[in-house]
Amino acid sequence: MTRKLPTFLSENENGLWMTEDERENLKIDYRIKEIIFEEKSPIQHVMILDSYSFGRMLVLDGIVQTTSIDGHIYNETISHVPLNIHPNPKKVLIIGGGDCGVAKEVCQYSSVQQIDVVEIDQVVVEACRKYLPEVSGGLSDPRVRFIFEDGVNYAQNSPAIYDVIIVDSSDPIGPAEVLIEKNFYRSLFNALKEDGLMVCQSQSPIFHGEAMEQIFARIDDIFPKTKMFTAVVPTYPGGLWSFTLGSKKYTAPNSVRIRELDTLYINEQLLESCFALPEFMIKQLSFR
Amino acid sequence: MTRKLPTFLSENENGLWMTEDERENLKIDYRIKEIIFEEKSPIQHVMILDSYSFGRMLVLDGIVQTTSIDGHIYNETISHVPLNIHPNPKKVLIIGGGDCGVAKEVCQYSSVQQIDVVEIDQVVVEACRKYLPEVSGGLSDPRVRFIFEDGVNYAQNSPAIYDVIIVDSSDPIGPAEVLIEKNFYRSLFNALKEDGLMVCQSQSPIFHGEAMEQIFARIDDIFPKTKMFTAVVPTYPGGLWSFTLGSKKYTAPNSVRIRELDTLYINEQLLESCFALPEFMIKQLSFR
C-alpha cells in the first residue's frame, strides 16, 4: 500500500525525505524518520515530522518553522531580549507563536501576570503541545490565554494594555504580508502602554536584506526608539537572523535578571552582544 | 552531446544542480549557472561553480568550501581576531587557506612583513586567484610566499619564528584528520615566538560538538591561554561556527586597529562580542 504524500515528501532507497524548496535556487533535503502528525487545517497544511538531523520539526505548507534541536535559539532570543529590557513586564501579547515556544519562555518571568497568544491556527497549537514538547514544553500555564483569530485584527482592536508585544510570525509572504505593513506596527504601538515595547523577527540579513531594511524603517518611523539584534538560527536560510525592537522608552537590557532563568542559548553576555551587528548590516541600516 | 558530470552534479528541467550530501541525513542542492573551472588535481577534485544563491563557489570533492557571498565572514573572523589580539604581528603563517581569502585579509596590516601560505594543492590557489576574485582578491602582494607542501610537515620543521599562525583547514575528515591531533598543535606551539598565538576553525557547535570540544581541549592542554569565539557562516551546516585561539601571552583584542581596516563583517563591536558564547557552548566547555 502506498499512501499519498504531499509534494514536498518523497521516498527513495534511503528512506523518506522532505524537500524544502521555497527558494528557487536552493533546496534543502531532510531525511525523515517518521510522520508524527498531519492535518490540513482551514489555514494551511500542518505536519510534525521526526527528522534525523533536527529531531521533530513543525512543517507548515512544506516549510520548516521550528525544530527540536534549534527552536530554543529563536524562541529564547525573541522572548528574553524584550523581557529583560522592560523593567517590569506584566501583560505580554504574542502574535503568532502557535508552536508555544515563545509563550513557554515568557512563563519563566514571575512578574508576568497575563500572556495572550493570538494565533490564527488552532491546529498548530494543538499539534505542537502534543507532539513537539521540546519546543512547546507542553505549555499549560494558567497565565496563558489562547485567542484563535487574526493577529492584525486583534491588534487593531486592542486597548493600550500591553507592556511587551512579541510578533512571532512566519515569513511575510502571501497572507502574512500584512504583518510588515506600517498600519500593523501602528496598531502595535497603540496596543502598548506608554512605556511598552515590541519585537518582531525581521528576516535574514543575507537573503532578505531589503525586507529587513523595510521592517526596520517602518518600525523606526513609528517608535521613538528602534534597535536591531541578531541570533543564529541553523534551520533558517543563512543562519544569521535579524530581530527588530521598537520601544517607547526602554532599550537597555538588564542583564541581571537573565542569570536566574533556565536557558540553552541566551545568557548575560549574549543579551548585550546580540546588538553588535556585522559591518554590512550597519551599512545597510545607516540611512537611519 | 552530454559531458560527463561528477556524481554530485545533475541536470533536470530546472537546470544544473549541485548536491552536497556529505552528511547522511541532510542534503543541500545549489542551482548552478555555470561550471567555471574543473580539474582533478593530485590531491582532490577542484571546481569553481557559479551558483544562483551564493555566486561563485570553491567546491572540493563535492563540498562547498567558500563562496563569493559569504567567504568574507569566515576569512575576516579567522584573520582579524588574532591579528588584533597580537600587538605587533610581523610574521604570519597560514596553514591551508588555498582560496587566498585569509592571506588577502592579513595583507591589510602594514606591520606584517611576511605571510607564508602552506597549502598542499597548488591547483586550488591558481583556480581561486583567477576565478574567485571576490574571495582571493586576485592576491598578488609581494609579502605573500606560497609553499606547496603538507602543512603538518611544514609546521613540524619550522623554527620558532611566527607571531601568528592561522590554520584554515577543511573539515578534519580523512587526510585532514592529522590537523586536529595533539602533535600538530604542539608543532604550532613550537613554531611560534615566545609571545605568539594561533587560531583554527573548530567546527560547528551544533553538529560537531564533540570535535569542537576535542579541539579546544587539545589546544588548551598545550597553550597557557585558550579562548573560543564564533561567527555565522551561512554556507556551513548550522550557520554558527566555532574558532579556537591558543595563545602564549595575549588574549585581549585591541579594538582600535580594526577601525582602520576595510571589512564587510567584523568590526570593533564584533571583535569583542564574538567571544560571547551561547549558554550550551559554555556548558559544553565547562569541564575546563
Side-chain angles (χ1 to χ4, degrees):
Chain A
M1 195 192 84
T2 52
R3 67 167 151 177
K4 195 163 159 16
L5 294 170
T7 53
F8 51 86
L9 284 180
S10 63
E11 259 176 315
N12 67 19
E13 67 278 16
N14 296 317
L16 188 63
W17 290 82
M18 183 198 127
T19 301
E20 196 179 47
D21 64 351
E22 72 202 286
R23 281 154 296 151
E24 211 182 333
N25 303 315
L26 193 65
K27 296 183 204 294
I28 299 172
D29 302 300
Y30 302 87
R31 192 167 158 230
I32 301 299
K33 280 185 198 167
E34 196 186 344
I35 299 172
I36 303 292
F37 174 88
E38 180 178 13
E39 189 175 323
K40 183 103 191 55
S41 85
I43 311 294
Q44 56 208 336
H45 182 274
V46 182
M47 272 189 144
I48 308 277
L49 298 175
D50 194 5
S51 72
Y52 282 88
S53 286
F54 291 98
R56 292 192 179 189
M57 321 194 291
L58 169 66
V59 177
L60 300 179
D61 288 336
I63 310 292
V64 176
Q65 303 292 324
T66 189
T67 79
S68 296
I69 269 202
D70 72 348
H72 61 276
I73 299 183
Y74 175 95
N75 289 325
E76 289 183 7
T77 303
I78 203 170
S79 311
H80 297 305
V81 173
L83 288 166
N84 279 277
I85 289 176
H86 195 292
N88 187 27
K90 285 179 184 154
K91 287 196 180 189
V92 177
L93 170 62
I94 300 165
I95 292 183
D99 63 36
C100 303
V102 173
K104 185 186 83 173
E105 296 303 326
V106 177
C107 285
Q108 291 201 49
Y109 293 79
S110 54
S111 75
V112 172
Q113 296 160 355
Q114 183 181 328
I115 305 164
D116 293 343
V117 179
V118 181
E119 162 63 53
I120 202 165
D121 197 343
Q122 186 162 2
V123 173
V124 172
V125 172
E126 280 160 13
C128 292
R129 277 168 110 169
K130 200 158 173 187
Y131 300 113
L132 200 58
E134 299 85 352
V135 174
S136 69
L139 191 65
S140 67
D141 192 291
R143 294 170 293 170
V144 179
R145 183 171 64 129
F146 284 99
I147 300 152
F148 297 110
E149 76 167 78
D150 175 59
V152 172
N153 273 347
Y154 182 88
Q156 239 159 19
N157 299 313
S158 167
I161 57 167
Y162 293 106
D163 299 297
V164 171
I165 300 177
I166 299 170
V167 186
D168 174 19
S169 64
S170 17
D171 290 341
I173 301 159
E177 241 177 300
V178 288
L179 292 173
I180 62 163
E181 277 174 16
K182 216 166 156 179
N183 279 341
F184 175 60
Y185 297 128
R186 190 167 301 285
S187 62
L188 297 183
F189 185 92
N190 293 334
L192 284 165
K193 286 190 202 148
E194 69 289 348
D195 62 349
L197 53 88
M198 57 84 50
V199 296
C200 63
Q201 65 98 341
S202 41
Q203 303 289 107
S204 159
I206 292 160
F207 290 113
H208 321 118
E210 225 172 292
M212 178 189 84
E213 213 178 298
Q214 202 177 48
I215 293 169
F216 186 87
R218 287 176 182 174
I219 293 174
D220 195 44
D221 275 350
I222 292 166
F223 283 83
K225 293 170 184 189
T226 317
K227 281 178 93 175
M228 190 165 265
F229 55 103
T230 67
V232 187
V233 185
T235 40
Y236 287 2
L240 187 63
W241 209 254
S242 80
F243 300 84
T244 301
L245 166 78
S247 179
K248 295 189 180 182
K249 190 168 175 186
Y250 314 109
T251 59
N254 168 355
S255 52
V256 176
R257 217 180 310 165
I258 193 89
R259 285 187 219 151
E260 295 150 20
L261 303 180
D262 181 23
T263 60
L264 287 166
Y265 178 74
I266 209 148
N267 54 25
E268 208 178 331
Q269 291 74 40
L270 282 191
L271 202 57
E272 303 274 349
S273 70
C274 69
F275 289 98
L277 303 180
E279 199 58 17
F280 71 90
M281 285 180 71
I282 292 176
K283 282 179 183 138
Q284 209 165 4
L285 301 174
S286 67
F287 66 93
R288 298 283 103 208
Chain B
M1 195 190 85
T2 50
R3 66 166 150 175
K4 192 160 160 18
L5 293 170
T7 53
F8 51 87
L9 284 179
S10 62
E11 258 174 320
N12 67 18
E13 68 277 19
N14 296 318
L16 188 61
W17 290 83
M18 184 198 128
T19 301
E20 196 178 48
D21 64 350
E22 74 201 282
R23 281 154 297 151
E24 211 184 329
N25 301 316
L26 193 66
K27 295 183 203 297
I28 300 172
D29 301 301
Y30 302 86
R31 193 166 158 229
I32 301 300
K33 280 184 197 167
E34 198 186 342
I35 298 172
I36 304 291
F37 175 88
E38 180 178 12
E39 190 174 323
K40 182 104 192 58
S41 85
I43 312 292
Q44 57 208 335
H45 181 274
V46 182
M47 273 190 144
I48 309 276
L49 298 175
D50 195 2
S51 71
Y52 282 87
S53 287
F54 292 98
R56 291 192 180 190
M57 321 191 292
L58 170 65
V59 177
L60 300 178
D61 288 335
I63 310 290
V64 176
Q65 303 291 323
T66 188
T67 79
S68 295
I69 269 202
D70 72 347
H72 61 275
I73 298 183
Y74 175 96
N75 289 325
E76 289 183 8
T77 304
I78 203 169
S79 310
H80 297 306
V81 173
L83 288 165
N84 279 277
I85 290 176
H86 196 290
N88 187 28
K90 287 179 182 153
K91 288 197 179 186
V92 177
L93 170 62
I94 299 166
I95 292 184
D99 62 38
C100 302
V102 173
K104 185 186 82 174
E105 296 302 326
V106 178
C107 285
Q108 289 202 51
Y109 293 78
S110 54
S111 74
V112 172
Q113 296 160 356
Q114 184 181 326
I115 304 164
D116 292 344
V117 180
V118 181
E119 161 64 52
I120 202 165
D121 196 343
Q122 187 162 3
V123 174
V124 172
V125 172
E126 280 159 13
C128 292
R129 277 168 110 168
K130 203 160 171 185
Y131 301 112
L132 199 58
E134 298 85 352
V135 174
S136 69
L139 192 67
S140 68
D141 192 291
R143 294 171 293 172
V144 179
R145 183 171 66 126
F146 284 98
I147 300 151
F148 297 108
E149 75 167 78
D150 175 60
V152 172
N153 272 347
Y154 182 88
Q156 237 158 23
N157 299 313
S158 167
I161 57 168
Y162 293 105
D163 300 296
V164 172
I165 299 176
I166 299 169
V167 185
D168 174 18
S169 65
S170 18
D171 289 339
I173 301 160
E177 241 176 304
V178 289
L179 293 174
I180 61 163
E181 275 175 17
K182 215 165 157 178
N183 277 342
F184 175 60
Y185 298 127
R186 189 167 301 284
S187 63
L188 297 183
F189 184 93
N190 294 333
L192 284 165
K193 286 189 201 149
E194 70 290 350
D195 63 350
L197 53 91
M198 58 83 52
V199 296
C200 64
Q201 65 99 340
S202 40
Q203 301 289 106
S204 160
I206 291 159
F207 290 114
H208 322 117
E210 223 171 296
M212 177 188 87
E213 212 179 297
Q214 199 176 52
I215 293 169
F216 186 88
R218 287 174 182 174
I219 292 174
D220 194 46
D221 274 351
I222 291 165
F223 284 82
K225 292 168 185 191
T226 316
K227 280 177 93 174
M228 188 164 268
F229 54 104
T230 66
V232 188
V233 185
T235 40
Y236 287 2
L240 186 65
W241 209 254
S242 81
F243 301 85
T244 301
L245 165 79
S247 180
K248 295 187 179 182
K249 190 170 178 187
Y250 313 108
T251 59
N254 167 354
S255 52
V256 176
R257 216 181 309 166
I258 193 88
R259 287 188 217 152
E260 295 151 21
L261 302 180
D262 182 21
T263 59
L264 287 168
Y265 178 75
I266 210 149
N267 53 26
E268 209 179 328
Q269 291 74 39
L270 282 190
L271 202 57
E272 304 274 349
S273 71
C274 69
F275 289 98
L277 303 181
E279 199 56 19
F280 71 89
M281 286 179 70
I282 293 178
K283 283 181 181 136
Q284 209 164 5
L285 301 173
S286 67
F287 67 94
R288 301 277 106 209

